Amino acid sequence: MLFNSYEFILVFLPVVIVGYFALARLSAWAANAFLAAASVAFYAWWRLDFVWILAGSIVANYLFGHKLSRDAAAGKNDRLLLTAGIVFNLGLLGYFKYADFFIANINAVTGASVPLLRVALPLGISFFTFTQIAYLVDAWKGKAAEYSATNYVLFVTFFPHLLAGPIIHHKEMMPQFADQGLKRVNWENMARGLALFALGLGKKVLIADPIAPWANSGFAHAQSLSFADGWITMLAYTMQLVFDFSGYTDMALGAALMLNIRLPQNFDSPYRSADIQEFWRRWHMTLSRFLRDYIYIPLGGNRGSEARMLVLFVVTFALGGFWHGAAWTYVIWGTLHGVALVVVHLWRKAGHPMPRPLAILVTFLFVSAALVIFRAPTLSDALAILSSVAGLKGFGLAFTVPEWNWIGRAAVQPAELTQGLVTAGTLVLALVLTFTPRNSNQVAASLDLSLPRARYAYGLLLAISLVFVQNATEFIYFIF
Amino acid sequence: MPARRFVLATLVLALVVAVAVAAFNAWVDPFQHYRKSERYPARFYNAWQRYENPGIAKHYAYDRVVTGSSLMECVIPADVDRIMGGKTINLSISAQTAYDAGQLLRAALRTGKPRHIIMNLDYNAFSGAPDRSGFTEPFPRYMYDDAPWNDLPYLLGVGTLRKSLETVLGLRWSRFNSDPQRMWYWMDGHQFFAAKAVQGLDPDNLNALFRQPQRTLEGMQASFEANLAPLVEANPDVRFTWVYAPYAILVWLDFEQRGQLEVTLAFREWLYERTARYKNVEIYDFHAVPEIVLDLDHFTDIYHYSPRLSQAIIQAIHDGRYKLTREMVRGNNAWLRSVARTTTPRQVIADALARPLPETPDGKAFVPPGGFAPPQVN
């Protein structure tokens, strides 16, 4: 089920909120069990047969974690069991997400013709696998308590985070699920959650979705873009992605907050970062946290030589790129970010601070250029677009892509012009909003709920967004 | 308690606005989902055929459906009625896939109205997964059933709202037709002659201009089995006339260039054998008619032929000419293979550019009254 669908907004979410708080009056366990069951139903709405994969993953990890916690409490350090647990999770992810990638590459290198498995990718597998690997590692370290089975199922399946994060940590979630005080309606949370949900829905359906056709068409015409086309394509996707993904996250955080559950923040105006290190503190923050705590630090982190640390930057981000998908473009995208981190480190060491506005511009351009590689179906398309952007194909200002070739044309159909102006205006609006001082989290958190105009504004935002939900499209991060 | 008031007021306002939008859209009903348009003149938007056709199928009177891709959009129902009798409706869809056709025909057949279906078979319609629509947006399934409870995307959607406003305010922002005889007609202003047909073609990559997807025989068969075969079997009293509407020969050279020729020919043969068992199915083949496919004066591009030819095809179907038999499908395949392998795109394009400009604005005036000669296999 999509957050930006009528069935979720008008049926699922209201029923879950009412049902949860009604059941909580009878029993906290019943409320949590209901929430877990609703979350599984939310997942099953997409494809019933993948529920068994989710269920198998939960059962196996719960048993692994249970044993690891007990061993840790008894002073035993069962590294073999932990390894088995991690291998199980990586095996699951490897089979469903990476098997065909490895087979295709082996075929390409060796000339073999091993048939591809063509297995369908279960939605959210990267997210629920990472969440549970973190749990196993902490259980092995003795940092994870023995949780009730119901709460563990809820922790993994809790619908706001299940499909596209944020990547949650058991330590921040389990106490909330167990807290009796959070089982009563809190109107303050309900109001701010509703506001955040409306803002996220608006970001998705009023900004990201209208821009999407321009980004899609630009990438579809990758090989023939002019200089101007290249820039429009790059900026359109850069804006589409951040409003899509942060919009999804706002809706997730908002929906959870209405249930008195606080999910970790995942975005903090990332395009206003002055370097790549700051960018990763503001972009997909829970993934950065996972990469730091469960890859970078265990591999040595800052503890070795500087050279080793810099190599680890690159390795960690290359793996982070690979987590996004089974394609070399993702690996290259991640590696580029790792290399950029190395450059930033060395630049700082050299002691040549850059003026902040210039640093923000440079970082934004790097992030946008790297996202071209992230989005492009092939490296050849990515390089073609980047060549256009860099002016290597000339500095022509011709607009050749069907979605925007009306610009400067004498005869334009009214519908084409209206549609084009709306999309162009949305893209400009997105750029302006990206660099405004307050983001949606801050807006929702500081909203003066007593102002009548706040009610009108959010009521209208919700209504207009509902009207634009018709063109329901999947969130980009569902595929990772 | 401001927080509680905020929640309730926000939700009430959002719901009031949403209900108002839904009521307005239901009242105007721009895609004729609930009723035949009477308050305002009907508007048939080419870009919204997947939304409009199910409603038209439900609320209009007819006993014959003409459907297919853009090749069939310009078939005028009155012309069909004059030739064949009965009452025809044109429910074509640009870039129609087998899935689109299956969904639409299922909705039309559910009304019990159609006794005869004439549909062109585009090979590209069978490419991709069996549930591939020729539409980039999600397929509007809610328009194809009778359940009112899933109509929210239609009632609340911004696309509907925009069309409702345009209708009520009499705006003409989008292109549309209002004549039920020419719902999807697009040929006005188009010219049909050889030099026009080859305009913009890259002889080394004929598909560059059209970007048609690749197909596999298994995929095409699966698409047929999923989308069309069940309709034929479930409606033995309905006559299904499938038409291989003509392409310019350059399409077959494109198939050869892309390694799609044998797949296509194999599908033709397979489909004939697969449907030979059904008494209610007939296939007409205009792909191997030399007077048509070798004469580019009939075309505006390599796929789309003139309205005159459109009428001639209906007449030929009525007369029973070009109805496939086992021998014919093999003979036609052999001729197509032979021409595709012995003709070069450069040669065809050069010939086309050397031809005199047409005498009439809509292309070659002649269609041989006695039909077209059968192809000669070299």
Side-chain angles (χ1 to χ4, degrees), chain A residues 47 50 94-100 116-122:
Chain A
R47 238 182 101 159
F50 283 151
Y95 175 74
F96 284 103
K97 189 163 180 175
Y98 298 106
D100 279 351
L116 298 180
L117 301 176
R118 299 192 190 284
V119 280
L121 182 66

Side-chain angles (χ1 to χ4, degrees), chain A residues 274-278 338-350 363:
Chain A
D275 62 53
I276 285 299
Q277 191 174 25
E278 185 185 344
V339 170
L341 215 53
V342 172
V343 171
V344 167
H345 180 82
L346 296 176
W347 186 281
R348 274 199 197 136
K349 204 174 160 191
T363 306

